[in-house]
Amino acid sequence: METLDIGAVKAFVLAAELQSFTRAADALGITQSAVSLKLRRLEEQLGRRLLERTPRQVRLSAEGLAFIGAARDLVSTHDLAVSAFETEPRRLVVGISHQLIGGELPSLLGNLRDHDPGLRIEMRIGGTRELMQAYDQGQLDAALVLRPEDRRKQGRAAFTEAFSWFAATGWKAPAGKPLPLATQGESCGIRGAAVRALDQAGIAWDEVFVGKGAALLGAAAAGGLAVAVLAKRAAPQGTMDVGGVLSLPPIPSQEVMLYSALTDRRSREALRVLTLAFR
């Protein structure tokens, strides 16, 4: 068998993990048709159907499931080989919305370390407004934030984050009392969307805890202090989604934007790995 095209294998891994040709194309910086062509040629070369395509989803076939582990190893080994001579330290200053940071941060940082051992990361966590101001002032190389209200800024849609209501496992709403909320305060757009939804649904609420960041709100929820609106991915252990149980209104999904003017391959690859880790 002829040598596998590493670009096609990488496209397969991304399409499988992101469950979308469109997202895989975005991550690779190529067109969706190019991804489809790469995958078709890979399947022809292997003589196996690796992915099942439906109008709404892309998922692994039985043969794709058998191949995905080896494919990931091949891509990882290739990336390490490519970066073998990039021993010079590279400093990257990245701002990330505190709404996005959850318990998966150690594995996220591990992905960056494995991708580029010479990378020196300075990570700043804050609100969208604060981070965008720092980015505009040249203090950040890149910012990964919830879409700002000012949509004139040039950025790239990275992914969509789903939010919901979380409380401690087994938590029960106090009878006859307003719903206790943990929020990030009045300046937070997610808090605004949540309380507007409650008001429109005629549900009384009381803000009993204010803290900055998903970690603090998650702690308040896990401790049984209040209900918190969190990104589903960032909800900590010991909490459960109580939106359906308590008949709470849905929270609109939020678009996450990546802002960066970096053009060198090494930095762009690091940001791609970072974005995929969040996805």
Side-chain angles (χ1 to χ4, degrees), residues 6 12 16 20 54 61 149 158 184 188 221 240 256 264-265 267 271:
I6 189 65
F12 161 68
S20 166
T54 69
S61 66
E149 293 180 2
Q184 297 199 83
C188 174
M240 60 179 289
V256 177
D264 65 286
R265 187 195 64 81
S267 297
L271 292 176

Side-chain angles (χ1 to χ4, degrees), residues 52-268:
E52 302 291 349
R53 292 89 158 165
T54 69
R56 293 187 176 182
Q57 190 180 33
V58 174
R59 61 184 178 84
L60 288 168
S61 66
E63 292 174 316
L65 188 61
F67 181 60
I68 188 68
R72 288 193 181 108
D73 290 343
L74 180 60
V75 170
S76 177
T77 301
H78 172 269
D79 288 347
L80 284 175
V82 169
S83 63
F85 298 105
E86 294 178 343
T87 56
E88 182 180 345
R90 169 71 169 97
R91 181 171 175 266
L92 192 63
V93 186
V94 183
I96 300 178
S97 170
H98 46 39
Q99 291 276 17
L100 304 176
I101 296 294
E104 80 287 19
L105 185 58
S107 62
L108 185 154
L109 296 176
N111 286 341
L112 285 175
R113 176 207 60 209
D114 293 342
H115 169 73
D116 188 346
L119 197 62
R120 302 293 183 262
I121 304 171
E122 181 177 332
M123 188 173 288
R124 301 183 188 177
I125 309 300
T128 294
R129 188 177 306 169
E130 170 192 353
L131 293 177
M132 289 308 300
Q133 183 177 9
Y135 177 74
D136 290 340
Q137 293 173 351
Q139 298 173 15
L140 300 176
D141 294 318
L144 191 67
V145 297
L146 301 183
R147 180 183 282 277
E149 293 180 2
D150 182 359
R151 300 196 176 199
R152 293 172 297 175
K153 298 181 184 297
Q154 294 299 312
R156 179 173 64 83
F159 55 93
T160 300
E161 191 72 84
F163 286 79
S164 193
W165 309 88
F166 287 87
T169 302
W171 184 86
K172 294 183 179 180
K177 294 184 179 180
L179 184 73
L181 292 183
T183 81
Q184 297 199 83
E186 294 185 2
S187 63
C188 174
I190 300 298
R191 186 255 193 203
V195 299
R196 281 194 301 272
L198 290 175
D199 290 341
Q200 290 171 3
I203 299 174
W205 55 274
D206 183 19
E207 195 171 43
V208 301
F209 179 89
V210 175
K212 296 298 182 183
L216 282 178
L217 298 188
L225 184 64
V227 174
V229 176
L230 298 168
K232 291 183 179 182
R233 178 187 43 76
Q237 290 186 347
T239 63
M240 60 179 289
D241 188 336
V242 296
V245 176
L246 301 180
S247 299
L248 299 175
I251 303 297
S253 295
Q254 303 290 316
E255 195 168 33
V256 177
M257 304 293 293
L258 175 65
Y259 295 89
S260 177
L262 296 175
T263 57
D264 65 286
R265 187 195 64 81
R266 190 176 180 186
S267 297
R268 290 176 63 85

